[in-house]
Structure formats: C-alpha cells, structure tokens
Amino acid sequence: MRRFRKVLLPLAAATTLAVSGIASAEAVAAPSSPTTTDSAFATKSVQDDAAKTAVAYWTPERMKNAISLDRVATKADEAVAAKTVYKVGNPGSTAPAQATDGKPSSTFAPTASRTAGKVFFKNPQDGKNYVCSASAINSASKQMVATAGHCVHGGKGGKWMTNWTFVPRYNNGSRPYGTFAAKEFRTFTSWISSSNLSRDVAFVTTYKRSDGKKLVNVVGGNGLSYNYDRSNYVTIFGYPVARQNGQVMIYCQGTTSADPGTSKVRIKCNLTGGASGGPWLRKYSSSTQLGYLNGVTSTVNSLGWNKSPYFDEYVKKMFDAQGSRV
C-alpha cells in the first residue's frame, strides 16, 4: 500500500538572497565519451553576472502563478526508452552529508526533507514560467542539485531553460533557506536529441548564496545509489500542482518495481505535474532528513504510475563529472 500525504511546513518569513548567477548566454560542451548517446552528456554554463536578475525575477506572484511542466509519455517516447542501453555493475552508494552552516529548523513535519525543494524557470520556447521539483545531493562541490532532464532542457527540438532557481523547502511562498540560482546544467545527450525518458535525469551546479554559503552546507545533501535492483522501498518528495496548487511539499512511500517494456522504475503514487524531478530516496531517515537518491520523478500515466529512469553506471558517471564543478 502506498502512503502519501501533504507535508505542512511553517510559514516562516521568506529569506530572499541575491546570489551570483543566471544568464541568457549559454555554452554547450561537446558530448563526453563514450560516444553512445546512452552514456554521453552535454552541459550548459550560466553567466554569473545575471544571477541577481534571475533571483529577483521570481517574485512571490510569479512563483505562485508558475505552471507545471507536464511530461506525458507517448508510445513513441516509450519505444525510444525501450532501446536504452544500460551499464550495470555492482551496487554502490555515495555518502550523504549533514548541513554544517547554521542550525537547521527542527519544527518541520517529521516525514519531510529540507534537501527537497521547488524549481522555478522560464521555457524560452513559449516564454512561460514553469515549476518542477528537485533535491540537494552531496558531492565534492557541495553545490549540486538533482532533477529531471526535462526540467533543464526541453528535449528533442527544445532549448535549455532560463531563469532557473532552486528553493529548498519551499512552502506557500516561504523560502526558509533562500534561493540558489543555476550555474551549470548537465544532462544526457539522448534526452536532448531524442527525448529519451530512460535518460530523463539532470544534475545542476548552483551558485553560492550572497553570504558565501553553499547549498549542501546549508541544507545537507543526499547520497547517490546506483546499480541497485529495481525493487526498493523509497520515499518520494515533490510539489504536484494537483494538491494545494503545488504550494506545499507532498511525500509518498512504497516499493518500486520494474516498468514493463522499458526497464525504467515505477511506483503508483499518482504525483502529478510539478512533482517532476523530485527525489526517490532509499533508506530515508526522518531524523536526519537524508537518504540515497535512486531515482527522480519523470512521468505519471493515467493509472497513477510515476516513473523514474533507472540509475546505472552512466548516471554515476554523470554525477562524477558534474559533482566537482564549482
């Protein structure tokens, strides 16, 4: 039986912090080796001189009115996903990290994570403001966020998103830990070139807050798990707009299974648009509010099945490549 509920967070005074970065200019790196699109990835760098503008752009009104970036899987999408080449080795995990800067609030609901939060961005293709979900993940840089690929790039025929910011523990307009702007995006080239939902994963390096504090040092960061069996008990967080208009964090718990036909991972949580990019955490601890990222919400179908890409060696490779970027 799946457990899911609203995570009610206190309406603390919003802390809006100017940080250094987001821009219209972009630099796309050549795909990394190996050359197969199932393992290659591309990056977009973000200029630091536009960061204050990006953070300032997200006024309370714009944040409230931003819409979900719904991703409905078509038969063609599933056909592409079914052809994905995975590389699976021994199961492994990287270490999570507790916050070190400041004392994290202890007044939040017990089944919640301060590492989870809401993403706000503009899609340059239609000029509209959108929302996704994401989470802080521990790495060498202490500045990284994990989310869905479609929350940073529009996929086949699309563009990189702009004015991209992450607000950990967002709640009804409150920003208890401030706002972190994107510094560099990284996602699979097979997502960019063919909208491959089995590679709908992204890692984002964020700028420091204006006080010089790094994201993971402020809120903590989850570890990464990869090459695990597709059946795992997980805790999922996100901001589905169908519940409380996406203004509060929702969680779901249950055991995942293999998605027939594509070998992705699925669970019947029925987390709708806005939850995209939210973390699927193994071994989540309500006391530490940390776990091990083993998936991100990618899609939901009409039967309520949420699906995530399977985290294999190539996801770990992308994590390693982006994790040291500062």
Side-chain angles (χ1 to χ4, degrees), residues 265-314:
V265 184
R266 69 177 188 172
I267 187 171
K268 205 167 190 178
C269 284
N270 198 28
L271 298 180
T272 56
S276 289
W280 295 29
L281 300 174
R282 295 179 59 254
K283 295 187 175 181
Y284 177 73
S285 167
S286 59
S287 60
T288 65
Q289 298 182 31
L290 296 171
Y292 295 85
L293 186 75
N294 197 218
V296 294
T297 300
S298 174
T299 60
V300 63
N301 66 18
S302 60
L303 298 177
W305 287 102
N306 285 109
K307 300 181 182 182
S308 165
Y310 173 70
F311 277 25
D312 65 351
E313 291 281 350
Y314 293 149

mmCIF file of all heavy atoms in Angstrom, residues 265-314:
data_model
loop_
_atom_site.group_PDB
_atom_site.id
_atom_site.type_symbol
_atom_site.label_atom_id
_atom_site.label_comp_id
_atom_site.label_asym_id
_atom_site.label_seq_id
_atom_site.Cartn_x
_atom_site.Cartn_y
_atom_site.Cartn_z
ATOM 1 N N VAL A 265 11.900 2.456 -13.730
ATOM 2 C CA VAL A 265 11.408 2.097 -12.402
ATOM 3 C C VAL A 265 10.073 2.804 -12.184
ATOM 4 O O VAL A 265 9.907 3.949 -12.612
ATOM 5 C CB VAL A 265 12.408 2.518 -11.312
ATOM 6 C CG1 VAL A 265 11.946 2.065 -9.938
ATOM 7 C CG2 VAL A 265 13.786 1.951 -11.614
ATOM 8 N N ARG A 266 9.127 2.126 -11.525
ATOM 9 C CA ARG A 266 7.827 2.750 -11.339
ATOM 10 C C ARG A 266 7.274 2.509 -9.928
ATOM 11 O O ARG A 266 7.679 1.579 -9.238
ATOM 12 C CB ARG A 266 6.818 2.240 -12.369
ATOM 13 C CG ARG A 266 6.411 0.783 -12.196
ATOM 14 C CD ARG A 266 5.349 0.393 -13.213
ATOM 15 N NE ARG A 266 4.813 -0.946 -12.946
ATOM 16 C CZ ARG A 266 3.772 -1.478 -13.583
ATOM 17 N NH1 ARG A 266 3.165 -0.791 -14.543
ATOM 18 N NH2 ARG A 266 3.341 -2.688 -13.274
ATOM 19 N N ILE A 267 6.326 3.370 -9.544
ATOM 20 C CA ILE A 267 5.609 3.240 -8.282
ATOM 21 C C ILE A 267 4.279 3.974 -8.435
ATOM 22 O O ILE A 267 4.205 5.000 -9.134
ATOM 23 C CB ILE A 267 6.429 3.823 -7.107
ATOM 24 C CG1 ILE A 267 5.747 3.529 -5.773
ATOM 25 C CG2 ILE A 267 6.668 5.307 -7.280
ATOM 26 C CD1 ILE A 267 6.605 3.888 -4.563
ATOM 27 N N LYS A 268 3.227 3.471 -7.824
ATOM 28 C CA LYS A 268 1.893 4.041 -8.020
ATOM 29 C C LYS A 268 1.605 5.094 -6.945
ATOM 30 O O LYS A 268 0.873 4.859 -5.992
ATOM 31 C CB LYS A 268 0.831 2.949 -7.995
ATOM 32 C CG LYS A 268 -0.437 3.312 -8.764
ATOM 33 C CD LYS A 268 -1.312 2.100 -8.968
ATOM 34 C CE LYS A 268 -2.456 2.396 -9.937
ATOM 35 N NZ LYS A 268 -3.284 1.194 -10.173
ATOM 36 N N CYS A 269 2.176 6.270 -7.131
ATOM 37 C CA CYS A 269 1.987 7.387 -6.199
ATOM 38 C C CYS A 269 1.042 8.460 -6.729
ATOM 39 O O CYS A 269 0.539 9.269 -5.970
ATOM 40 C CB CYS A 269 3.331 8.039 -5.884
ATOM 41 S SG CYS A 269 4.356 7.099 -4.730
ATOM 42 N N ASN A 270 0.836 8.491 -8.052
ATOM 43 C CA ASN A 270 -0.036 9.479 -8.692
ATOM 44 C C ASN A 270 0.370 10.908 -8.345
ATOM 45 O O ASN A 270 -0.481 11.758 -8.086
ATOM 46 C CB ASN A 270 -1.501 9.241 -8.319
ATOM 47 C CG ASN A 270 -2.453 9.938 -9.291
ATOM 48 O OD1 ASN A 270 -2.124 10.155 -10.459
ATOM 49 N ND2 ASN A 270 -3.634 10.295 -8.811
ATOM 50 N N LEU A 271 1.668 11.179 -8.342
ATOM 51 C CA LEU A 271 2.157 12.539 -8.176
ATOM 52 C C LEU A 271 2.144 13.208 -9.545
ATOM 53 O O LEU A 271 2.844 12.786 -10.455
ATOM 54 C CB LEU A 271 3.560 12.542 -7.580
ATOM 55 C CG LEU A 271 3.691 11.937 -6.179
ATOM 56 C CD1 LEU A 271 5.128 12.009 -5.700
ATOM 57 C CD2 LEU A 271 2.760 12.620 -5.188
ATOM 58 N N THR A 272 1.343 14.241 -9.674
ATOM 59 C CA THR A 272 1.081 14.859 -10.975
ATOM 60 C C THR A 272 2.102 15.952 -11.302
ATOM 61 O O THR A 272 3.092 16.122 -10.596
ATOM 62 C CB THR A 272 -0.331 15.440 -10.970
ATOM 63 O OG1 THR A 272 -0.462 16.360 -9.866
ATOM 64 C CG2 THR A 272 -1.370 14.342 -10.810
ATOM 65 N N GLY A 273 1.832 16.702 -12.388
ATOM 66 C CA GLY A 273 2.731 17.747 -12.844
ATOM 67 C C GLY A 273 3.167 18.672 -11.731
ATOM 68 O O GLY A 273 2.382 19.047 -10.860
ATOM 69 N N GLY A 274 4.445 19.063 -11.770
ATOM 70 C CA GLY A 274 5.035 19.863 -10.703
ATOM 71 C C GLY A 274 5.928 19.011 -9.823
ATOM 72 O O GLY A 274 6.871 19.503 -9.208
ATOM 73 N N ALA A 275 5.624 17.691 -9.758
ATOM 74 C CA ALA A 275 6.446 16.762 -8.978
ATOM 75 C C ALA A 275 7.667 16.303 -9.758
ATOM 76 O O ALA A 275 8.568 15.676 -9.188
ATOM 77 C CB ALA A 275 5.617 15.562 -8.550
ATOM 78 N N SER A 276 7.715 16.585 -11.064
ATOM 79 C CA SER A 276 8.851 16.163 -11.897
ATOM 80 C C SER A 276 10.174 16.594 -11.287
ATOM 81 O O SER A 276 10.340 17.744 -10.871
ATOM 82 C CB SER A 276 8.735 16.773 -13.292
ATOM 83 O OG SER A 276 7.699 16.191 -14.017
ATOM 84 N N GLY A 277 11.129 15.666 -11.249
ATOM 85 C CA GLY A 277 12.443 15.969 -10.719
ATOM 86 C C GLY A 277 12.593 15.693 -9.240
ATOM 87 O O GLY A 277 13.705 15.715 -8.713
ATOM 88 N N GLY A 278 11.474 15.430 -8.552
ATOM 89 C CA GLY A 278 11.524 15.158 -7.130
ATOM 90 C C GLY A 278 12.297 13.882 -6.828
ATOM 91 O O GLY A 278 12.299 12.939 -7.626
ATOM 92 N N PRO A 279 12.958 13.804 -5.658
ATOM 93 C CA PRO A 279 13.843 12.672 -5.352
ATOM 94 C C PRO A 279 13.110 11.405 -4.948
ATOM 95 O O PRO A 279 12.093 11.440 -4.258
ATOM 96 C CB PRO A 279 14.658 13.211 -4.172
ATOM 97 C CG PRO A 279 13.714 14.139 -3.472
ATOM 98 C CD PRO A 279 12.937 14.814 -4.581
ATOM 99 N N TRP A 280 13.657 10.251 -5.364
ATOM 100 C CA TRP A 280 13.256 8.921 -4.897
ATOM 101 C C TRP A 280 14.405 8.428 -4.022
ATOM 102 O O TRP A 280 15.491 8.135 -4.530
ATOM 103 C CB TRP A 280 13.043 7.972 -6.080
ATOM 104 C CG TRP A 280 11.901 8.340 -6.986
ATOM 105 C CD1 TRP A 280 11.404 9.586 -7.237
ATOM 106 C CD2 TRP A 280 11.118 7.441 -7.789
ATOM 107 N NE1 TRP A 280 10.366 9.525 -8.140
ATOM 108 C CE2 TRP A 280 10.169 8.218 -8.494
ATOM 109 C CE3 TRP A 280 11.133 6.057 -7.980
ATOM 110 C CZ2 TRP A 280 9.234 7.655 -9.372
ATOM 111 C CZ3 TRP A 280 10.212 5.497 -8.851
ATOM 112 C CH2 TRP A 280 9.272 6.274 -9.534
ATOM 113 N N LEU A 281 14.165 8.358 -2.714
ATOM 114 C CA LEU A 281 15.235 8.134 -1.754
ATOM 115 C C LEU A 281 15.169 6.758 -1.104
ATOM 116 O O LEU A 281 14.159 6.391 -0.488
ATOM 117 C CB LEU A 281 15.183 9.209 -0.660
ATOM 118 C CG LEU A 281 15.329 10.655 -1.146
ATOM 119 C CD1 LEU A 281 15.123 11.622 0.009
ATOM 120 C CD2 LEU A 281 16.700 10.881 -1.790
ATOM 121 N N ARG A 282 16.236 5.992 -1.236
ATOM 122 C CA ARG A 282 16.414 4.767 -0.468
ATOM 123 C C ARG A 282 16.835 5.143 0.952
ATOM 124 O O ARG A 282 17.494 6.150 1.180
ATOM 125 C CB ARG A 282 17.516 3.896 -1.059
ATOM 126 C CG ARG A 282 17.265 3.333 -2.439
ATOM 127 C CD ARG A 282 18.456 2.506 -2.921
ATOM 128 N NE ARG A 282 18.772 1.386 -2.035
ATOM 129 C CZ ARG A 282 19.819 1.370 -1.209
ATOM 130 N NH1 ARG A 282 20.678 2.378 -1.163
ATOM 131 N NH2 ARG A 282 20.031 0.315 -0.440
ATOM 132 N N LYS A 283 16.469 4.289 1.898
ATOM 133 C CA LYS A 283 16.933 4.421 3.281
ATOM 134 C C LYS A 283 16.758 5.843 3.812
ATOM 135 O O LYS A 283 17.639 6.384 4.495
ATOM 136 C CB LYS A 283 18.397 3.991 3.392
ATOM 137 C CG LYS A 283 18.617 2.513 3.104
ATOM 138 C CD LYS A 283 20.049 2.098 3.377
ATOM 139 C CE LYS A 283 20.232 0.587 3.204
ATOM 140 N NZ LYS A 283 21.624 0.156 3.480
ATOM 141 N N TYR A 284 15.606 6.435 3.519
ATOM 142 C CA TYR A 284 15.355 7.787 4.025
ATOM 143 C C TYR A 284 15.175 7.761 5.539
ATOM 144 O O TYR A 284 14.454 6.920 6.081
ATOM 145 C CB TYR A 284 14.123 8.395 3.361
ATOM 146 C CG TYR A 284 13.808 9.763 3.915
ATOM 147 C CD1 TYR A 284 14.602 10.854 3.577
ATOM 148 C CD2 TYR A 284 12.763 9.946 4.817
ATOM 149 C CE1 TYR A 284 14.353 12.102 4.109
ATOM 150 C CE2 TYR A 284 12.508 11.195 5.350
ATOM 151 C CZ TYR A 284 13.307 12.273 4.992
ATOM 152 O OH TYR A 284 13.066 13.511 5.539
ATOM 153 N N SER A 285 15.815 8.690 6.212
ATOM 154 C CA SER A 285 15.725 8.813 7.665
ATOM 155 C C SER A 285 15.005 10.103 8.025
ATOM 156 O O SER A 285 15.451 11.200 7.636
ATOM 157 C CB SER A 285 17.127 8.816 8.287
ATOM 158 O OG SER A 285 17.080 9.226 9.638
ATOM 159 N N SER A 286 13.901 9.998 8.754
ATOM 160 C CA SER A 286 13.181 11.205 9.151
ATOM 161 C C SER A 286 13.949 11.993 10.206
ATOM 162 O O SER A 286 13.703 13.186 10.391
ATOM 163 C CB SER A 286 11.790 10.834 9.689
ATOM 164 O OG SER A 286 11.894 9.966 10.800
ATOM 165 N N SER A 287 14.893 11.353 10.893
ATOM 166 C CA SER A 287 15.671 12.071 11.901
ATOM 167 C C SER A 287 16.770 12.922 11.266
ATOM 168 O O SER A 287 16.986 14.067 11.656
ATOM 169 C CB SER A 287 16.275 11.090 12.913
ATOM 170 O OG SER A 287 17.136 10.163 12.269
ATOM 171 N N THR A 288 17.446 12.370 10.269
ATOM 172 C CA THR A 288 18.479 13.147 9.580
ATOM 173 C C THR A 288 17.924 13.918 8.395
ATOM 174 O O THR A 288 18.561 14.835 7.891
ATOM 175 C CB THR A 288 19.606 12.235 9.068
ATOM 176 O OG1 THR A 288 19.078 11.351 8.061
ATOM 177 C CG2 THR A 288 20.215 11.429 10.204
ATOM 178 N N GLN A 289 16.732 13.529 7.926
ATOM 179 C CA GLN A 289 16.096 14.098 6.737
ATOM 180 C C GLN A 289 16.967 13.902 5.492
ATOM 181 O O GLN A 289 16.982 14.720 4.583
ATOM 182 C CB GLN A 289 15.766 15.582 6.941
ATOM 183 C CG GLN A 289 14.781 15.819 8.081
ATOM 184 C CD GLN A 289 14.412 17.262 8.251
ATOM 185 O OE1 GLN A 289 14.388 18.025 7.286
ATOM 186 N NE2 GLN A 289 14.122 17.663 9.476
ATOM 187 N N LEU A 290 17.668 12.768 5.461
ATOM 188 C CA LEU A 290 18.543 12.436 4.342
ATOM 189 C C LEU A 290 18.296 11.000 3.897
ATOM 190 O O LEU A 290 17.799 10.173 4.659
ATOM 191 C CB LEU A 290 20.012 12.584 4.741
ATOM 192 C CG LEU A 290 20.506 13.977 5.112
ATOM 193 C CD1 LEU A 290 21.911 13.898 5.699
ATOM 194 C CD2 LEU A 290 20.483 14.909 3.907
ATOM 195 N N GLY A 291 18.649 10.712 2.664
ATOM 196 C CA GLY A 291 18.572 9.364 2.131
ATOM 197 C C GLY A 291 19.546 9.232 0.980
ATOM 198 O O GLY A 291 20.481 10.032 0.833
ATOM 199 N N TYR A 292 19.307 8.218 0.138
ATOM 200 C CA TYR A 292 20.172 7.949 -1.014
ATOM 201 C C TYR A 292 19.344 8.039 -2.287
ATOM 202 O O TYR A 292 18.427 7.240 -2.505
ATOM 203 C CB TYR A 292 20.802 6.564 -0.882
ATOM 204 C CG TYR A 292 21.738 6.448 0.293
ATOM 205 C CD1 TYR A 292 21.252 6.151 1.562
ATOM 206 C CD2 TYR A 292 23.103 6.672 0.142
ATOM 207 C CE1 TYR A 292 22.109 6.061 2.651
ATOM 208 C CE2 TYR A 292 23.968 6.586 1.218
ATOM 209 C CZ TYR A 292 23.462 6.287 2.477
ATOM 210 O OH TYR A 292 24.316 6.209 3.549
ATOM 211 N N LEU A 293 19.664 9.010 -3.119
ATOM 212 C CA LEU A 293 18.907 9.241 -4.349
ATOM 213 C C LEU A 293 19.062 8.061 -5.292
ATOM 214 O O LEU A 293 20.164 7.716 -5.699
ATOM 215 C CB LEU A 293 19.398 10.516 -5.033
ATOM 216 C CG LEU A 293 18.594 10.954 -6.248
ATOM 217 C CD1 LEU A 293 17.268 11.579 -5.806
ATOM 218 C CD2 LEU A 293 19.390 11.957 -7.087
ATOM 219 N N ASN A 294 17.916 7.435 -5.660
ATOM 220 C CA ASN A 294 17.939 6.281 -6.541
ATOM 221 C C ASN A 294 16.941 6.436 -7.685
ATOM 222 O O ASN A 294 16.590 5.483 -8.353
ATOM 223 C CB ASN A 294 17.649 5.005 -5.750
ATOM 224 C CG ASN A 294 18.051 3.734 -6.463
ATOM 225 O OD1 ASN A 294 17.375 2.718 -6.389
ATOM 226 N ND2 ASN A 294 19.173 3.778 -7.191
ATOM 227 N N GLY A 295 16.483 7.677 -7.898
ATOM 228 C CA GLY A 295 15.551 7.962 -8.975
ATOM 229 C C GLY A 295 15.041 9.380 -8.851
ATOM 230 O O GLY A 295 15.225 10.044 -7.819
ATOM 231 N N VAL A 296 14.432 9.878 -9.923
ATOM 232 C CA VAL A 296 13.749 11.175 -9.922
ATOM 233 C C VAL A 296 12.431 11.011 -10.673
ATOM 234 O O VAL A 296 12.346 10.250 -11.636
ATOM 235 C CB VAL A 296 14.589 12.297 -10.580
ATOM 236 C CG1 VAL A 296 15.836 12.602 -9.758
ATOM 237 C CG2 VAL A 296 14.957 11.943 -12.014
ATOM 238 N N THR A 297 11.400 11.707 -10.224
ATOM 239 C CA THR A 297 10.114 11.619 -10.903
ATOM 240 C C THR A 297 10.239 12.158 -12.322
ATOM 241 O O THR A 297 10.692 13.281 -12.542
ATOM 242 C CB THR A 297 9.037 12.400 -10.143
ATOM 243 O OG1 THR A 297 8.909 11.844 -8.825
ATOM 244 C CG2 THR A 297 7.700 12.316 -10.849
ATOM 245 N N SER A 298 9.845 11.335 -13.288
ATOM 246 C CA SER A 298 9.926 11.717 -14.695
ATOM 247 C C SER A 298 8.532 11.924 -15.287
ATOM 248 O O SER A 298 8.238 12.968 -15.860
ATOM 249 C CB SER A 298 10.680 10.648 -15.487
ATOM 250 O OG SER A 298 10.662 10.906 -16.868
ATOM 251 N N THR A 299 7.655 10.911 -15.139
ATOM 252 C CA THR A 299 6.311 10.990 -15.715
ATOM 253 C C THR A 299 5.292 10.363 -14.775
ATOM 254 O O THR A 299 5.640 9.695 -13.805
ATOM 255 C CB THR A 299 6.233 10.241 -17.065
ATOM 256 O OG1 THR A 299 6.565 8.868 -16.847
ATOM 257 C CG2 THR A 299 7.170 10.846 -18.095
ATOM 258 N N VAL A 300 4.019 10.579 -15.088
ATOM 259 C CA VAL A 300 2.911 9.869 -14.446
ATOM 260 C C VAL A 300 1.921 9.520 -15.549
ATOM 261 O O VAL A 300 1.716 10.302 -16.479
ATOM 262 C CB VAL A 300 2.244 10.721 -13.345
ATOM 263 C CG1 VAL A 300 1.611 11.979 -13.919
ATOM 264 C CG2 VAL A 300 1.211 9.902 -12.565
ATOM 265 N N ASN A 301 1.326 8.310 -15.475
ATOM 266 C CA ASN A 301 0.344 7.957 -16.502
ATOM 267 C C ASN A 301 -1.072 8.017 -15.939
ATOM 268 O O ASN A 301 -1.280 8.355 -14.769
ATOM 269 C CB ASN A 301 0.654 6.590 -17.130
ATOM 270 C CG ASN A 301 0.510 5.436 -16.140
ATOM 271 O OD1 ASN A 301 -0.116 5.547 -15.077
ATOM 272 N ND2 ASN A 301 1.076 4.288 -16.486
ATOM 273 N N SER A 302 -2.054 7.684 -16.756
ATOM 274 C CA SER A 302 -3.462 7.812 -16.373
ATOM 275 C C SER A 302 -3.856 6.868 -15.243
ATOM 276 O O SER A 302 -4.883 7.063 -14.596
ATOM 277 C CB SER A 302 -4.367 7.575 -17.587
ATOM 278 O OG SER A 302 -4.155 6.271 -18.112
ATOM 279 N N LEU A 303 -3.054 5.845 -15.006
ATOM 280 C CA LEU A 303 -3.337 4.894 -13.931
ATOM 281 C C LEU A 303 -2.637 5.273 -12.625
ATOM 282 O O LEU A 303 -2.747 4.557 -11.627
ATOM 283 C CB LEU A 303 -2.909 3.488 -14.355
ATOM 284 C CG LEU A 303 -3.630 2.904 -15.578
ATOM 285 C CD1 LEU A 303 -3.060 1.529 -15.921
ATOM 286 C CD2 LEU A 303 -5.133 2.822 -15.325
ATOM 287 N N GLY A 304 -1.921 6.389 -12.638
ATOM 288 C CA GLY A 304 -1.266 6.863 -11.424
ATOM 289 C C GLY A 304 0.140 6.355 -11.212
ATOM 290 O O GLY A 304 0.734 6.594 -10.153
ATOM 291 N N TRP A 305 0.710 5.668 -12.215
ATOM 292 C CA TRP A 305 2.084 5.169 -12.081
ATOM 293 C C TRP A 305 3.085 6.291 -12.349
ATOM 294 O O TRP A 305 3.132 6.844 -13.448
ATOM 295 C CB TRP A 305 2.347 4.034 -13.061
ATOM 296 C CG TRP A 305 1.683 2.741 -12.716
ATOM 297 C CD1 TRP A 305 0.549 2.229 -13.268
ATOM 298 C CD2 TRP A 305 2.124 1.779 -11.743
ATOM 299 N NE1 TRP A 305 0.236 1.018 -12.707
ATOM 300 C CE2 TRP A 305 1.195 0.712 -11.756
ATOM 301 C CE3 TRP A 305 3.198 1.719 -10.864
ATOM 302 C CZ2 TRP A 305 1.313 -0.401 -10.927
ATOM 303 C CZ3 TRP A 305 3.334 0.620 -10.039
ATOM 304 C CH2 TRP A 305 2.389 -0.432 -10.071
ATOM 305 N N ASN A 306 3.873 6.630 -11.335
ATOM 306 C CA ASN A 306 5.010 7.517 -11.549
ATOM 307 C C ASN A 306 6.199 6.677 -11.986
ATOM 308 O O ASN A 306 6.388 5.555 -11.503
ATOM 309 C CB ASN A 306 5.364 8.268 -10.270
ATOM 310 C CG ASN A 306 4.390 9.376 -9.957
ATOM 311 O OD1 ASN A 306 3.607 9.269 -9.023
ATOM 312 N ND2 ASN A 306 4.415 10.448 -10.734
ATOM 313 N N LYS A 307 6.995 7.233 -12.891
ATOM 314 C CA LYS A 307 8.134 6.502 -13.421
ATOM 315 C C LYS A 307 9.410 7.326 -13.304
ATOM 316 O O LYS A 307 9.385 8.556 -13.411
ATOM 317 C CB LYS A 307 7.883 6.094 -14.875
ATOM 318 C CG LYS A 307 6.652 5.198 -15.033
ATOM 319 C CD LYS A 307 6.420 4.769 -16.467
ATOM 320 C CE LYS A 307 5.149 3.920 -16.577
ATOM 321 N NZ LYS A 307 4.916 3.430 -17.958
ATOM 322 N N SER A 308 10.505 6.607 -13.104
ATOM 323 C CA SER A 308 11.822 7.227 -12.999
ATOM 324 C C SER A 308 12.795 6.496 -13.903
ATOM 325 O O SER A 308 12.674 5.288 -14.111
ATOM 326 C CB SER A 308 12.323 7.136 -11.551
ATOM 327 O OG SER A 308 13.720 7.420 -11.473
ATOM 328 N N PRO A 309 13.807 7.188 -14.426
ATOM 329 C CA PRO A 309 14.901 6.487 -15.083
ATOM 330 C C PRO A 309 15.588 5.551 -14.097
ATOM 331 O O PRO A 309 15.618 5.823 -12.884
ATOM 332 C CB PRO A 309 15.850 7.613 -15.511
ATOM 333 C CG PRO A 309 14.980 8.830 -15.564
ATOM 334 C CD PRO A 309 13.981 8.649 -14.469
ATOM 335 N N TYR A 310 16.132 4.454 -14.587
ATOM 336 C CA TYR A 310 16.935 3.559 -13.761
ATOM 337 C C TYR A 310 18.325 4.161 -13.602
ATOM 338 O O TYR A 310 18.937 4.614 -14.572
ATOM 339 C CB TYR A 310 17.024 2.173 -14.414
ATOM 340 C CG TYR A 310 17.968 1.234 -13.704
ATOM 341 C CD1 TYR A 310 17.645 0.732 -12.444
ATOM 342 C CD2 TYR A 310 19.189 0.871 -14.267
ATOM 343 C CE1 TYR A 310 18.521 -0.118 -11.770
ATOM 344 C CE2 TYR A 310 20.066 0.017 -13.613
ATOM 345 C CZ TYR A 310 19.721 -0.466 -12.359
ATOM 346 O OH TYR A 310 20.593 -1.301 -11.696
ATOM 347 N N PHE A 311 18.822 4.173 -12.375
ATOM 348 C CA PHE A 311 20.135 4.759 -12.103
ATOM 349 C C PHE A 311 21.227 3.683 -12.249
ATOM 350 O O PHE A 311 21.396 2.828 -11.380
ATOM 351 C CB PHE A 311 20.172 5.348 -10.695
ATOM 352 C CG PHE A 311 19.591 6.741 -10.604
ATOM 353 C CD1 PHE A 311 18.652 7.193 -11.520
ATOM 354 C CD2 PHE A 311 19.984 7.609 -9.594
ATOM 355 C CE1 PHE A 311 18.119 8.475 -11.445
ATOM 356 C CE2 PHE A 311 19.464 8.892 -9.502
ATOM 357 C CZ PHE A 311 18.534 9.331 -10.418
ATOM 358 N N ASP A 312 21.960 3.768 -13.351
ATOM 359 C CA ASP A 312 23.017 2.800 -13.642
ATOM 360 C C ASP A 312 24.389 3.461 -13.583
ATOM 361 O O ASP A 312 24.543 4.565 -13.032
ATOM 362 C CB ASP A 312 22.771 2.157 -15.006
ATOM 363 C CG ASP A 312 22.875 3.160 -16.164
ATOM 364 O OD1 ASP A 312 22.974 4.385 -15.903
ATOM 365 O OD2 ASP A 312 22.869 2.725 -17.337
ATOM 366 N N GLU A 313 25.403 2.793 -14.158
ATOM 367 C CA GLU A 313 26.766 3.317 -14.152
ATOM 368 C C GLU A 313 26.862 4.659 -14.873
ATOM 369 O O GLU A 313 27.687 5.516 -14.520
ATOM 370 C CB GLU A 313 27.721 2.322 -14.815
ATOM 371 C CG GLU A 313 27.962 1.047 -14.042
ATOM 372 C CD GLU A 313 28.955 1.227 -12.895
ATOM 373 O OE1 GLU A 313 29.599 2.283 -12.818
ATOM 374 O OE2 GLU A 313 29.078 0.296 -12.087
ATOM 375 N N TYR A 314 26.046 4.849 -15.907
ATOM 376 C CA TYR A 314 26.123 6.090 -16.661
ATOM 377 C C TYR A 314 25.594 7.276 -15.862
ATOM 378 O O TYR A 314 26.081 8.406 -16.006
ATOM 379 C CB TYR A 314 25.373 5.946 -17.985
ATOM 380 C CG TYR A 314 26.006 4.968 -18.955
ATOM 381 C CD1 TYR A 314 25.225 4.237 -19.846
ATOM 382 C CD2 TYR A 314 27.380 4.765 -18.986
ATOM 383 C CE1 TYR A 314 25.799 3.330 -20.737
ATOM 384 C CE2 TYR A 314 27.968 3.874 -19.869
ATOM 385 C CZ TYR A 314 27.166 3.155 -20.744
ATOM 386 O OH TYR A 314 27.745 2.271 -21.619
#
